[in-house]
Amino acid sequence: MAERRGNSVEQGTSGWSIHLITVSGIPIRIHFTFFLLLTWLVFNMPGPSRLFGLFCVVGLFTCVVLHELGHSIVAQRLGVGVVDIVLYPIGGIARMEKMPAPKQELWIALAGPAVNVVISAVLWLAFKIGGTTVAPSQLSFTSSFWHFLLYSNVVLFAFNMIPAFPMDGGRVLRAVLAIRLGELRATELAATIGQFLAVVLGFLALGFTSIPYFSQFNPLLVFIAIFVFFGAGQEAQMYRGKALVEGLPVRAAMITDYRTLPVGASLGQAAELLLQTSQQDFPIVNGADVIGVLSRQNLLRGLAAHGPTGYVTEAMTREFRTVEPDGDLQAVATEMQTGEHPCVLVMKDDELLGFVTLENLAELLIVRQLTNKQKPAGNRDWG
């Protein structure tokens, strides 16, 4: 898949996150909801504990960043590109450019928890050298800052190794199963196990048992159970989609009945075309050359900023992806799901043949899924 650029590049950064730093070529961003967590801490902690609590949160999320960097750097070493790392109140997410193969995923999934093991070991060794005993009773959120970090990394390791999606343990389980069962079957089985564990955790979190730590209602564990349950289902659905497009060329999902806009068109003309057709992404052309893509979102932003008399070149994206019609649709779909390029132009010998959007790709998946259901079990086409 190639990348085209015009005279300038519009960065595809999210309006909901702030760029913090770039490490090993990987942008690390903080989602705005993270600052809501800090605000909540400030207003709910007693005055003397407020500063300590903020230090603990910053220390914890530094460990989360290192955890995600563990995943990301190993992924890079194995040839899997990383789009970015985004920090949320519930943790971090490293977005990969493509789905790794089972053996790659095994090492990538293990790398994050391994970082927490190393941090825990270093802190434990530091306490040991300093002559400080570290009893299990000392590992709590009310201990010193360094005890807190040791406790947090132990918890991060244990929590992430639960064999349920979307935790690392679920990915390790899927990777091991995939070596023998294939990726789709392994994903279905791992997702089922994950959802079962989520239901059990949710029941325990309601506090209806006399089991220690589960004898009263715990809203945080309920939230985690819901997150795990739906995360497992989403992961399984994503791999079903992968199986449905496996082996297909890009032309299978290509939109061929489309409109383009000339470089001199106004935003008002683009808006009329948006309303007259079902098309939401418009290639911008200068003669036979494609110089950009105007999405529905950018069109609306352009109308708000420049009005209907503004030009499409003021709102279009000059950075876009191109692929040949015989390219691998599965690879294209994986990259599109990262959100950086939701519209991919299909070109051959610099001639625009059509384009693929996430909406059209989703329609293809629905059609193929329904078509496969009508076929005899022995003749189903999972490619």
Side-chain angles (χ1 to χ4, degrees), residues 200 203-205 207-216:
V200 172
F203 175 77
L204 293 175
F208 295 147
T209 70
S210 57
I211 301 174
Y213 305 109
F214 296 104
S215 58
Q216 58 184 1

Side-chain angles (χ1 to χ4, degrees), residues 245-254 324-330 364 383:
V245 301
E246 188 174 4
L248 289 180
V250 171
R251 64 172 75 250
M254 181 175 67
E324 292 195 351
D326 294 323
D328 183 8
L329 180 59
Q330 180 179 307
L364 172 68

Side-chain angles (χ1 to χ4, degrees), residues 252-329:
M254 181 175 67
I255 296 174
T256 56
D257 185 9
Y258 61 90
R259 307 284 186 88
T260 63
L261 286 166
V263 68
S266 68
L267 292 172
Q269 291 173 313
E272 290 179 6
L273 202 55
L274 178 71
L275 296 174
Q276 293 169 3
T277 68
S278 59
Q279 190 173 331
Q280 296 196 6
D281 298 273
F282 299 94
I284 308 301
V285 296
N286 183 14
D289 298 327
V290 180
I291 64 169
V293 175
L294 180 67
S295 66
R296 175 180 177 275
Q297 184 179 27
N298 284 346
L299 169 58
L300 297 179
R301 287 177 179 172
L303 286 171
H306 307 290
T309 58
Y311 290 104
V312 292
T313 51
E314 296 176 290
M316 71 180 185
T317 301
R318 295 182 182 272
E319 180 182 356
F320 54 91
R321 293 288 192 180
T322 67
V323 65
E324 292 195 351
D326 294 323
D328 183 8
L329 180 59

